[in-house]
């Protein structure tokens, strides 16, 4: 892309504001996608701000309709948690991973096969955060649960 993404990003955002009036779910999706792009470009502060905006919208949507918006909320919470963990902000990352975990556990009860891998990954990510804060026993219990989820037990 020859560095042009950094140049065109603000232009696209401005054009969208002027010419496109997205629904809240669409706006949350766009914010989440821009956050991913910012993260890939090394713009962690911008990525965090975009994730937080998407998270705010998705929490509101989830309160209105948990069945429709649970997976989206959990995914954005997990994305932000990953960014925070990468930046050594473990307490914030842990809270978001736990929020993600609670939702994916509910979803897995409804359709375990569909959510099995994601639940496994979330448990593993939370275990990594706990290990980095010295909580090895808690982390080990989560890793064991992750293994059970993955093996279908």
């Amino acid at each position: 892309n020859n560095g042009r993404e950094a140049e065109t990003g603000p232009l696209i955002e401005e054009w969208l504001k002027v010419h496109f009036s997205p629904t809240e779910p669409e706006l949350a999706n766009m914010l989440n996608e821009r956050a991913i792009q910012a993260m890939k470009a090394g713009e962690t502060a911008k990525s965090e701000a975009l994730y937080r905006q998407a998270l705010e919208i998705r929490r509101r949507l989830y309160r209105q309709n948990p069945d429709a918006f649970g997976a989206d909320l959990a995914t954005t919470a997990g994305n932000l948690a990953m960014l925070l963990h990468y930046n050594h902000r473990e307490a914030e990352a842990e809270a978001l991973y736990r929020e993600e975990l609670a939702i994916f556990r509910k979803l897995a009860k409804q359709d375990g096969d569909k959510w099995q891998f994601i639940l496994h990954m979330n448990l593993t990510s939370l275990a990594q955060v706990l290990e980095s804060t010295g909580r090895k026993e808690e982390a080990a219990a989560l890793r064991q649960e992750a293994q059970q989820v993955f093996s279908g037990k």
Side-chain angles (χ1 to χ4, degrees), residues 18-153:
V18 173
H19 299 287
F20 182 63
S21 182
T23 65
E24 279 198 305
E26 291 169 332
L27 179 58
N29 287 340
M30 288 188 306
L31 290 166
N32 195 68
E33 289 303 314
R34 278 298 288 141
I36 292 168
Q37 291 171 1
M39 175 93 163
K40 288 178 182 178
E43 300 172 324
T44 56
K46 181 177 182 177
S47 181
E48 179 181 346
L50 291 163
Y51 276 136
R52 288 192 185 280
Q53 289 175 37
L55 192 63
E56 180 182 324
I57 293 167
R58 288 187 164 162
R59 282 180 175 149
R60 186 171 47 253
L61 292 169
Y62 179 75
R63 284 190 298 271
Q64 295 168 5
N65 190 343
D67 291 336
F69 297 107
D72 290 338
L73 170 57
T75 299
T76 298
N79 289 347
L80 179 55
M82 181 177 54
L83 174 68
L84 295 170
H85 178 58
Y86 175 78
N87 286 301
H88 308 289
R89 292 164 60 188
E90 272 71 9
E92 292 173 273
E94 179 184 347
L96 288 164
Y97 276 136
R98 289 192 185 278
E99 181 178 4
E100 177 188 31
L101 179 59
I103 293 168
F104 280 133
R105 279 188 169 142
K106 287 179 191 174
L107 292 171
K109 284 181 184 176
Q110 297 167 8
D111 187 355
D113 291 340
K114 182 176 180 181
W115 302 106
Q116 178 181 16
F117 181 74
I118 293 173
L119 181 59
H120 173 272
M121 294 301 296
N122 176 244
L123 288 162
T124 302
S125 296
L126 180 55
Q128 289 173 345
V129 170
L130 295 176
E131 285 171 346
S132 69
T133 61
R135 293 153 60 197
K136 300 206 183 302
E137 288 181 21
E138 285 179 78
L142 287 173
R143 287 196 185 280
Q144 183 176 3
E145 183 183 349
Q147 191 59 37
Q148 290 170 342
V149 165
F150 198 66
S151 64
K153 295 179 182 176

